Coordinates of all heavy atoms in Angstrom, one line a residue:
M1 N 0.8 -1.2 0.0 CA 0.0 0.0 0.0 C 0.9 1.2 0.0 O 1.8 1.3 0.8 CB -0.9 0.0 1.2 CG -2.0 1.0 1.2 SD -3.2 0.8 2.6 CE -4.3 -0.3 1.8
P2 N 0.6 2.3 -0.8 CA 1.4 3.5 -0.9 C 1.4 4.2 0.4 O 0.5 4.1 1.2 CB 0.8 4.3 -2.0 CG -0.2 3.5 -2.7 CD -0.5 2.3 -1.8
A3 N 2.5 5.0 0.7 CA 2.6 5.8 1.9 C 1.7 7.0 1.8 O 1.3 7.4 0.7 CB 4.0 6.2 2.1
W4 N 1.4 7.6 3.0 CA 0.6 8.8 3.0 C 1.6 9.9 2.5 O 2.7 10.0 2.8 CB 0.2 9.1 4.4 CG -0.9 8.3 4.8 CD1 -0.9 7.2 5.7 CD2 -2.3 8.4 4.4 NE1 -2.1 6.6 5.8 CE2 -3.0 7.3 5.1 CE3 -3.0 9.2 3.6 CZ2 -4.4 7.1 4.9 CZ3 -4.4 9.0 3.4 CH2 -5.0 8.0 4.1
T5 N 1.0 10.9 1.8 CA 1.8 12.0 1.2 C 1.4 13.3 1.8 O 1.7 14.3 1.3 CB 1.6 12.1 -0.3 OG1 0.2 12.2 -0.6 CG2 2.1 10.8 -1.0
W6 N 0.7 13.3 2.9 CA 0.3 14.5 3.6 C 1.5 15.3 4.1 O 2.2 14.7 5.0 CB -0.7 14.2 4.7 CG -1.4 15.3 5.3 CD1 -1.0 16.1 6.3 CD2 -2.7 15.9 4.9 NE1 -1.9 17.1 6.6 CE2 -2.9 17.0 5.7 CE3 -3.6 15.5 3.9 CZ2 -4.1 17.7 5.6 CZ3 -4.7 16.3 3.8 CH2 -5.0 17.4 4.7
D7 N 1.7 16.5 3.6 CA 2.8 17.3 4.1 C 2.3 18.2 5.3 O 1.1 18.2 5.5 CB 3.4 18.2 3.0 CG 4.0 17.3 1.9 OD1 4.6 16.3 2.2 OD2 3.8 17.7 0.7
R8 N 3.2 18.9 5.9 CA 2.8 19.8 6.9 C 1.9 20.8 6.4 O 2.2 21.5 5.4 CB 4.0 20.4 7.6 CG 4.8 19.4 8.4 CD 5.9 20.1 9.0 NE 6.7 19.2 9.8 CZ 7.4 19.5 10.8 NH1 7.5 20.7 11.3 NH2 8.1 18.5 11.4
V9 N 0.8 21.0 7.1 CA -0.2 22.0 6.7 C -0.7 22.7 8.0 O -1.0 21.9 8.9 CB -1.4 21.4 5.9 CG1 -2.4 22.5 5.6 CG2 -0.9 20.8 4.6
G10 N -0.8 24.0 8.0 CA -1.3 24.6 9.2 C -2.8 24.6 9.3 O -3.4 25.5 8.8
L11 N -3.3 23.6 10.0 CA -4.7 23.4 10.2 C -5.1 23.3 11.6 O -4.4 22.7 12.4 CB -5.3 22.2 9.5 CG -5.2 22.0 8.0 CD1 -5.6 20.6 7.6 CD2 -6.1 23.0 7.3
A12 N -6.2 23.9 12.0 CA -6.7 23.8 13.3 C -7.8 22.7 13.2 O -8.9 22.9 12.8 CB -7.4 25.0 13.8
V13 N -7.4 21.4 13.5 CA -8.2 20.3 13.2 C -9.0 20.0 14.5 O -8.5 19.9 15.6 CB -7.4 19.0 12.8 CG1 -8.3 17.8 12.7 CG2 -6.7 19.3 11.5
H14 N -10.3 19.8 14.3 CA -11.2 19.5 15.5 C -11.4 18.0 15.6 O -11.5 17.5 16.7 CB -12.6 20.1 15.2 CG -13.5 19.9 16.3 ND1 -13.4 20.5 17.6 CD2 -14.6 19.1 16.4 CE1 -14.4 20.1 18.3 NE2 -15.2 19.3 17.7
H15 N -11.4 17.3 14.5 CA -11.6 15.8 14.5 C -11.0 15.3 13.2 O -11.0 15.9 12.2 CB -13.1 15.6 14.5 CG -13.5 14.1 14.5 ND1 -13.5 13.3 15.6 CD2 -13.8 13.3 13.5 CE1 -13.9 12.1 15.3 NE2 -14.0 12.0 14.0
F16 N -10.5 14.1 13.2 CA -10.0 13.4 12.0 C -10.4 12.0 12.0 O -10.7 11.4 13.1 CB -8.5 13.6 11.8 CG -7.6 12.8 12.8 CD1 -7.2 11.5 12.6 CD2 -7.3 13.4 14.0 CE1 -6.5 10.8 13.5 CE2 -6.5 12.8 15.0 CZ -6.1 11.5 14.7
S17 N -10.4 11.4 10.8 CA -10.8 10.0 10.7 C -10.1 9.4 9.5 O -9.8 10.0 8.5 CB -12.3 10.0 10.5 OG -12.8 8.7 10.4
F18 N -10.0 8.0 9.6 CA -9.5 7.3 8.4 C -10.6 6.3 8.0 O -11.4 5.8 8.8 CB -8.3 6.4 8.8 CG -7.0 7.2 9.1 CD1 -6.7 7.6 10.4 CD2 -6.2 7.5 8.1 CE1 -5.6 8.3 10.6 CE2 -5.0 8.2 8.3 CZ -4.7 8.6 9.6
S19 N -10.7 6.1 6.7 CA -11.7 5.2 6.2 C -11.4 3.8 6.6 O -10.2 3.5 6.9 CB -11.8 5.3 4.6 OG -10.6 4.9 4.1
P20 N -12.4 2.9 6.7 CA -12.1 1.5 7.2 C -11.1 0.8 6.4 O -10.4 -0.1 6.9 CB -13.5 0.9 7.0 CG -14.5 1.9 7.0 CD -13.8 3.1 6.4
D21 N -10.9 1.1 5.1 CA -9.9 0.4 4.3 C -8.5 1.2 4.3 O -7.6 0.8 3.5 CB -10.4 0.2 2.9 CG -10.7 1.5 2.1 OD1 -10.5 2.6 2.7 OD2 -11.2 1.5 1.0
S22 N -8.4 2.2 5.1 CA -7.3 3.1 5.2 C -6.9 3.8 3.9 O -5.8 4.2 3.7 CB -6.0 2.3 5.7 OG -6.3 1.9 7.0
R23 N -7.9 3.9 3.0 CA -7.6 4.6 1.7 C -7.7 6.1 1.8 O -7.1 6.8 1.1 CB -8.6 4.0 0.7 CG -8.4 4.6 -0.7 CD -9.4 4.0 -1.7 NE -9.2 4.6 -3.0 CZ -10.1 4.5 -3.9 NH1 -11.2 3.8 -3.8 NH2 -9.9 5.1 -5.1
W24 N -8.6 6.6 2.7 CA -8.9 8.0 2.8 C -8.6 8.5 4.2 O -8.8 7.8 5.2 CB -10.3 8.3 2.5 CG -10.7 8.2 1.1 CD1 -11.2 7.2 0.4 CD2 -10.5 9.2 0.1 NE1 -11.4 7.4 -0.9 CE2 -11.0 8.7 -1.1 CE3 -10.0 10.5 0.1 CZ2 -11.0 9.5 -2.3 CZ3 -10.0 11.3 -1.0 CH2 -10.5 10.7 -2.2
F25 N -8.2 9.8 4.3 CA -8.0 10.5 5.6 C -8.9 11.7 5.4 O -8.9 12.4 4.4 CB -6.5 10.9 5.7 CG -6.3 11.9 6.8 CD1 -6.2 11.5 8.1 CD2 -6.1 13.2 6.5 CE1 -6.0 12.4 9.2 CE2 -5.9 14.2 7.5 CZ -5.8 13.7 8.9
A26 N -9.6 12.1 6.5 CA -10.4 13.3 6.5 C -10.1 14.1 7.8 O -10.0 13.5 8.9 CB -11.9 12.9 6.5
A27 N -10.0 15.4 7.6 CA -9.7 16.3 8.8 C -10.9 17.3 8.8 O -11.0 18.1 7.9 CB -8.4 16.9 8.7
V28 N -11.6 17.3 9.9 CA -12.7 18.3 10.1 C -12.0 19.5 10.8 O -11.5 19.3 11.9 CB -13.8 17.7 11.0 CG1 -14.9 18.7 11.3 CG2 -14.4 16.5 10.2
C29 N -12.0 20.6 10.2 CA -11.3 21.8 10.7 C -12.3 22.6 11.6 O -13.5 22.6 11.5 CB -10.9 22.7 9.5 SG -9.8 21.8 8.4
D30 N -11.6 23.4 12.5 CA -12.3 24.2 13.4 C -13.2 25.3 12.7 O -14.2 25.7 13.3 CB -11.4 24.9 14.4 CG -10.9 23.9 15.5 OD1 -11.5 22.9 15.6 OD2 -10.0 24.3 16.2
H31 N -12.8 25.7 11.6 CA -13.5 26.8 10.9 C -14.6 26.3 10.1 O -15.3 27.1 9.4 CB -12.5 27.7 10.1 CG -11.8 26.9 9.0 ND1 -12.4 26.4 7.9 CD2 -10.5 26.4 8.9 CE1 -11.6 25.7 7.2 NE2 -10.4 25.7 7.8
G32 N -14.9 25.1 10.0 CA -16.1 24.6 9.3 C -15.8 24.0 7.9 O -16.6 24.2 7.0
G33 N -14.8 23.3 7.7 CA -14.5 22.7 6.4 C -13.9 21.3 6.6 O -13.6 20.9 7.7
I34 N -13.9 20.5 5.6 CA -13.3 19.2 5.6 C -12.2 19.0 4.6 O -12.5 19.3 3.4 CB -14.4 18.1 5.4 CG1 -15.6 18.3 6.3 CG2 -13.8 16.7 5.6 CD1 -16.8 17.5 5.9
W35 N -11.1 18.6 5.0 CA -10.0 18.3 4.1 C -9.9 16.8 3.9 O -9.9 16.0 4.9 CB -8.6 18.8 4.6 CG -8.4 20.2 4.5 CD1 -8.7 21.2 5.4 CD2 -8.0 20.9 3.3 NE1 -8.4 22.4 4.9 CE2 -8.0 22.3 3.6 CE3 -7.6 20.5 2.0 CZ2 -7.6 23.3 2.7 CZ3 -7.2 21.5 1.1 CH2 -7.2 22.8 1.5
F36 N -9.8 16.3 2.7 CA -9.6 14.9 2.3 C -8.3 14.6 1.6 O -7.9 15.5 0.8 CB -10.8 14.4 1.4 CG -12.1 14.4 2.0 CD1 -12.9 15.5 1.9 CD2 -12.6 13.3 2.7 CE1 -14.2 15.5 2.5 CE2 -13.8 13.3 3.3 CZ -14.6 14.4 3.2
N37 N -7.7 13.5 1.9 CA -6.5 13.1 1.2 C -6.6 11.6 1.0 O -7.0 10.8 1.9 CB -5.3 13.4 2.0 CG -4.0 12.9 1.3 OD1 -3.4 12.0 1.8 ND2 -3.6 13.5 0.2
Q38 N -6.3 11.1 -0.2 CA -6.3 9.7 -0.6 C -4.9 9.2 -0.5 O -4.0 9.8 -1.0 CB -6.9 9.5 -2.0 CG -7.1 8.1 -2.3 CD -7.8 7.9 -3.7 OE1 -8.2 8.9 -4.3 NE2 -7.9 6.7 -4.1
R39 N -4.8 8.0 0.1 CA -3.4 7.4 0.3 C -2.7 7.4 -1.1 O -3.3 6.9 -2.1 CB -3.5 6.0 0.9 CG -2.2 5.4 1.2 CD -2.3 4.0 1.7 NE -2.9 4.0 3.0 CZ -2.1 4.0 4.1 NH1 -0.8 4.2 4.1 NH2 -2.7 4.0 5.3
G40 N -1.4 7.8 -1.1 CA -0.6 7.8 -2.3 C -0.9 8.9 -3.2 O -0.2 9.0 -4.3
D41 N -1.7 9.9 -2.9 CA -2.0 11.0 -3.7 C -1.6 12.3 -3.0 O -2.0 12.5 -1.9 CB -3.5 11.0 -4.1 CG -3.9 12.1 -5.1 OD1 -3.1 12.9 -5.5 OD2 -5.1 12.0 -5.5
S42 N -0.8 13.1 -3.6 CA -0.4 14.4 -3.0 C -1.5 15.5 -3.0 O -1.4 16.5 -2.4 CB 0.9 14.9 -3.7 OG 0.6 15.2 -5.0
R43 N -2.5 15.2 -3.8 CA -3.6 16.2 -3.9 C -4.5 16.1 -2.7 O -4.8 15.1 -2.2 CB -4.4 15.9 -5.2 CG -5.5 16.8 -5.5 CD -6.2 16.3 -6.8 NE -6.6 15.0 -6.8 CZ -7.8 14.6 -6.6 NH1 -8.8 15.4 -6.4 NH2 -8.1 13.3 -6.5
R44 N -5.0 17.3 -2.3 CA -6.0 17.4 -1.2 C -7.3 17.9 -1.7 O -7.3 18.8 -2.6 CB -5.5 18.3 -0.1 CG -4.2 17.7 0.6 CD -3.7 18.7 1.6 NE -2.4 18.2 2.0 CZ -1.2 18.7 1.5 NH1 -1.3 19.7 0.6 NH2 -0.1 18.3 1.9
V45 N -8.4 17.5 -1.2 CA -9.7 18.0 -1.6 C -10.3 18.7 -0.4 O -10.4 18.1 0.7 CB -10.6 16.8 -2.1 CG1 -12.0 17.3 -2.5 CG2 -10.0 16.1 -3.3
Y46 N -10.8 19.9 -0.6 CA -11.4 20.7 0.4 C -12.9 20.8 0.2 O -13.3 21.1 -0.9 CB -10.8 22.0 0.5 CG -11.4 22.9 1.6 CD1 -11.2 22.6 2.9 CD2 -12.2 24.0 1.3 CE1 -11.7 23.4 3.9 CE2 -12.7 24.8 2.3 CZ -12.5 24.5 3.6 OH -13.0 25.3 4.6
V47 N -13.7 20.5 1.2 CA -15.2 20.7 1.1 C -15.5 21.8 2.1 O -15.4 21.6 3.3 CB -16.0 19.4 1.4 CG1 -17.5 19.7 1.4 CG2 -15.6 18.3 0.4
S48 N -16.0 22.9 1.6 CA -16.4 24.0 2.5 C -17.8 23.8 3.0 O -18.7 23.4 2.2 CB -16.3 25.3 1.7 OG -16.8 26.4 2.5
T49 N -18.0 24.1 4.2 CA -19.3 24.1 4.8 C -19.8 25.5 5.2 O -20.7 25.6 6.0 CB -19.3 23.1 6.0 OG1 -18.4 23.6 7.0 CG2 -19.0 21.7 5.7
G50 N -19.2 26.5 4.7 CA -19.6 27.8 5.0 C -19.2 28.2 6.4 O -18.1 27.9 6.8
T51 N -20.1 28.7 7.1 CA -19.8 29.1 8.5 C -20.2 28.0 9.5 O -20.0 28.2 10.7 CB -20.6 30.4 8.9 OG1 -22.0 30.2 8.7 CG2 -20.2 31.6 8.0
T52 N -20.7 26.9 9.0 CA -21.1 25.8 9.9 C -19.9 25.2 10.6 O -19.0 24.8 9.9 CB -21.9 24.8 9.1 OG1 -23.1 25.4 8.6 CG2 -22.3 23.6 10.1
R53 N -19.9 25.1 11.9 CA -18.8 24.4 12.6 C -19.2 23.0 12.8 O -20.2 22.7 13.5 CB -18.5 25.1 13.9 CG -17.9 26.5 13.7 CD -17.7 27.2 15.0 NE -16.6 28.1 14.8 CZ -15.4 28.1 15.4 NH1 -15.2 27.2 16.3 NH2 -14.5 29.0 15.1
L54 N -18.5 22.1 12.2 CA -18.8 20.7 12.4 C -18.2 20.1 13.7 O -17.2 20.5 14.1 CB -18.2 19.9 11.2 CG -18.7 20.4 9.8 CD1 -17.8 19.7 8.7 CD2 -20.1 20.1 9.7
S55 N -19.0 19.2 14.3 CA -18.5 18.6 15.5 C -17.6 17.4 15.3 O -16.6 17.3 15.9 CB -19.8 18.1 16.3 OG -20.6 19.1 16.6
F56 N -18.0 16.5 14.4 CA -17.1 15.4 14.1 C -17.6 14.8 12.7 O -18.6 15.2 12.1 CB -17.2 14.3 15.2 CG -18.5 13.7 15.3 CD1 -18.7 12.4 14.7 CD2 -19.5 14.2 16.1 CE1 -19.9 11.8 14.8 CE2 -20.7 13.6 16.2 CZ -20.9 12.4 15.6
G57 N -16.8 13.8 12.3 CA -17.2 13.1 11.0 C -16.6 11.7 11.0 O -15.6 11.4 11.7
Y58 N -17.2 10.9 10.3 CA -16.7 9.5 10.1 C -17.1 8.9 8.8 O -18.0 9.4 8.1 CB -17.2 8.6 11.3 CG -18.7 8.5 11.4 CD1 -19.4 7.4 10.7 CD2 -19.5 9.4 12.1 CE1 -20.8 7.3 10.8 CE2 -20.9 9.3 12.2 CZ -21.5 8.3 11.5 OH -22.9 8.2 11.6
F59 N -16.4 7.9 8.4 CA -16.6 7.2 7.1 C -17.7 6.1 7.2 O -17.8 5.5 8.3 CB -15.3 6.6 6.6 CG -14.3 7.6 6.1 CD1 -13.4 8.1 7.0 CD2 -14.4 8.0 4.8 CE1 -12.5 9.1 6.5 CE2 -13.4 9.0 4.3 CZ -12.5 9.5 5.2
S60 N -18.4 5.9 6.1 CA -19.3 4.8 6.1 C -18.5 3.5 6.2 O -17.3 3.5 5.9 CB -20.2 4.8 4.8 OG -19.4 4.7 3.7
A61 N -19.2 2.4 6.5 CA -18.5 1.1 6.6 C -17.8 0.7 5.3 O -16.8 0.0 5.3 CB -19.5 0.0 7.0
D62 N -18.4 1.1 4.1 CA -17.8 0.7 2.9 C -16.7 1.8 2.4 O -16.1 1.6 1.3 CB -18.8 0.5 1.8 CG -19.7 1.7 1.5 OD1 -19.4 2.8 2.0 OD2 -20.6 1.6 0.7
G63 N -16.6 2.9 3.1 CA -15.6 3.9 2.8 C -15.9 4.8 1.6 O -15.1 5.6 1.2
R64 N -17.2 4.7 1.2 CA -17.6 5.5 0.0 C -18.2 6.8 0.3 O -18.3 7.7 -0.5 CB -18.6 4.7 -0.8 CG -18.0 3.5 -1.5 CD -19.0 2.7 -2.2 NE -18.5 1.5 -2.8 CZ -19.2 0.7 -3.5 NH1 -20.5 0.9 -3.7 NH2 -18.6 -0.4 -4.0
R65 N -18.5 7.0 1.6 CA -19.2 8.3 2.0 C -18.5 8.7 3.3 O -18.1 7.9 4.1 CB -20.7 8.1 2.1 CG -21.4 8.0 0.8 CD -22.8 7.6 0.9 NE -23.0 6.2 1.5 CZ -22.8 5.1 0.8 NH1 -22.4 5.2 -0.5 NH2 -23.0 3.9 1.3
F66 N -18.6 10.0 3.5 CA -18.2 10.6 4.8 C -19.3 11.4 5.3 O -19.9 12.2 4.6 CB -17.0 11.5 4.6 CG -16.4 12.1 5.8 CD1 -15.5 11.3 6.6 CD2 -16.6 13.4 6.2 CE1 -15.0 11.8 7.8 CE2 -16.1 13.9 7.4 CZ -15.3 13.1 8.2
L67 N -19.7 11.2 6.6 CA -20.8 11.9 7.3 C -20.2 12.8 8.3 O -19.5 12.3 9.2 CB -21.7 10.8 7.9 CG -22.8 11.4 8.8 CD1 -23.8 12.1 7.9 CD2 -23.5 10.3 9.6
A68 N -20.6 14.0 8.2 CA -20.2 15.0 9.2 C -21.4 15.7 9.9 O -22.4 15.8 9.2 CB -19.3 16.1 8.6
T69 N -21.4 16.0 11.1 CA -22.5 16.6 11.8 C -22.0 17.9 12.5 O -20.9 18.0 12.9 CB -23.1 15.6 12.8 OG1 -22.2 15.3 13.8 CG2 -23.7 14.4 12.1
D70 N -23.0 18.8 12.7 CA -22.7 20.0 13.5 C -23.4 19.8 14.9 O -24.0 18.8 15.2 CB -23.2 21.2 12.8 CG -24.7 21.4 12.6 OD1 -25.4 20.6 13.2 OD2 -25.1 22.3 11.8
A71 N -23.2 20.8 15.7 CA -23.7 20.7 17.1 C -25.2 20.6 17.2 O -25.8 20.1 18.1 CB -23.2 22.0 17.9
S72 N -25.9 21.1 16.2 CA -27.4 21.1 16.2 C -28.0 19.7 15.7 O -29.1 19.5 15.6 CB -28.0 22.2 15.4 OG -27.7 22.1 14.1
G73 N -27.0 18.9 15.2 CA -27.5 17.6 14.7 C -27.7 17.5 13.2 O -28.1 16.4 12.7
R74 N -27.5 18.6 12.5 CA -27.6 18.5 11.0 C -26.4 17.7 10.5 O -25.3 17.7 11.0 CB -27.6 19.9 10.4 CG -28.8 20.7 10.8 CD -28.7 22.1 10.2 NE -27.6 22.8 10.8 CZ -27.3 24.1 10.6 NH1 -28.0 24.8 9.7 NH2 -26.3 24.6 11.2
A75 N -26.7 17.0 9.4 CA -25.7 16.2 8.8 C -25.3 16.6 7.4 O -26.1 17.1 6.6 CB -26.2 14.7 8.8
L76 N -24.1 16.4 7.0 CA -23.6 16.6 5.7 C -23.0 15.3 5.2 O -22.1 14.7 5.9 CB -22.5 17.7 5.7 CG -21.7 17.8 4.4 CD1 -22.6 18.4 3.3 CD2 -20.5 18.7 4.6
I77 N -23.4 14.8 4.1 CA -22.9 13.5 3.5 C -22.1 13.8 2.3 O -22.6 14.5 1.4 CB -24.0 12.5 3.2 CG1 -24.8 12.2 4.4 CG2 -23.4 11.3 2.6 CD1 -26.1 11.4 4.2
V78 N -20.8 13.4 2.3 CA -19.9 13.6 1.2 C -19.7 12.3 0.5 O -19.3 11.3 1.1 CB -18.6 14.2 1.7 CG1 -17.6 14.4 0.5 CG2 -18.8 15.5 2.4
D79 N -20.0 12.3 -0.8 CA -19.9 11.1 -1.6 C -18.5 11.1 -2.2 O -18.1 11.9 -3.1 CB -20.9 11.0 -2.7 CG -20.9 9.8 -3.6 OD1 -20.0 8.9 -3.4 OD2 -21.8 9.6 -4.3
L80 N -17.6 10.2 -1.8 CA -16.2 10.1 -2.3 C -16.1 9.6 -3.7 O -15.0 9.5 -4.2 CB -15.4 9.4 -1.3 CG -15.3 10.0 0.1 CD1 -14.6 9.1 1.1 CD2 -14.8 11.3 0.1
R81 N -17.2 9.2 -4.3 CA -17.2 8.7 -5.7 C -17.5 9.8 -6.6 O -17.4 9.7 -7.8 CB -18.2 7.6 -5.9 CG -17.8 6.3 -5.0 CD -19.0 5.4 -5.0 NE -20.1 6.0 -4.4 CZ -21.3 5.5 -4.4 NH1 -21.6 4.4 -4.9 NH2 -22.3 6.1 -3.8
A82 N -17.8 11.0 -6.1 CA -18.1 12.2 -6.9 C -16.9 12.8 -7.6 O -15.8 12.5 -7.2 CB -18.8 13.3 -6.1
N83 N -17.2 13.5 -8.7 CA -16.1 14.2 -9.4 C -15.3 15.1 -8.4 O -15.9 15.7 -7.4 CB -16.6 15.1 -10.5 CG -17.1 14.3 -11.6 OD1 -16.8 13.2 -11.8 ND2 -18.0 15.0 -12.4
G84 N -14.1 15.2 -8.5 CA -13.2 15.9 -7.6 C -12.5 15.0 -6.6 O -11.4 15.4 -6.1
F85 N -13.1 13.9 -6.4 CA -12.4 12.9 -5.5 C -11.7 11.8 -6.3 O -11.0 11.0 -5.7 CB -13.4 12.3 -4.5 CG -13.9 13.2 -3.5 CD1 -15.1 14.0 -3.7 CD2 -13.2 13.4 -2.3 CE1 -15.5 14.8 -2.7 CE2 -13.6 14.3 -1.4 CZ -14.8 15.0 -1.6
Q86 N -12.0 11.7 -7.6 CA -11.4 10.6 -8.4 C -10.1 11.0 -9.0 O -9.7 12.0 -9.3 CB -12.4 10.3 -9.5 CG -13.7 9.8 -9.0 CD -13.6 8.6 -8.0 OE1 -12.9 7.7 -8.3 NE2 -14.3 8.7 -6.9

């Protein structure tokens, strides 16, 4: 399996998670966005949530989706099969 290519980045991370197959890394930032990195890929994908501050996030059991929630219980589902993630 390729090594992680995540370089040092100045992020205030509130929560992070790895997909069950260790293919994806996700970092939920304090300012309300999510950074994704796929193992072996130097590219990072950012999903902005506007001003919403997310509490935490986790991957689905099959690793195809990422679910993030805010303090009020609203959910954001990110489909990792969508354009931009491939």
Side-chain angles (χ1 to χ4, degrees):
M1 190 173 271
W4 286 102
T5 57
W6 190 271
D7 296 324
R8 290 182 182 209
V9 176
L11 294 175
V13 174
H14 181 72
H15 180 84
F16 68 91
S17 181
F18 289 93
S19 63
D21 61 2
S22 296
R23 183 176 175 196
W24 287 97
F25 168 79
V28 176
C29 301
D30 283 348
H31 59 71
I34 309 167
W35 284 98
F36 292 92
N37 177 249
Q38 186 174 355
R39 183 182 290 274
D41 188 351
S42 61
R43 182 178 55 102
R44 296 175 193 98
V45 178
Y46 179 71
V47 175
S48 175
T49 59
T51 59
T52 301
R53 292 180 155 240
L54 300 172
S55 300
F56 68 95
Y58 59 93
F59 288 91
S60 62
D62 62 8
R64 294 180 181 177
R65 288 169 294 285
F66 185 79
L67 173 69
T69 62
D70 66 10
S72 66
R74 292 180 295 184
L76 169 68
I77 300 172
V78 179
D79 186 350
L80 299 175
R81 297 169 296 171
N83 287 339
F85 289 95
Q86 301 302 316

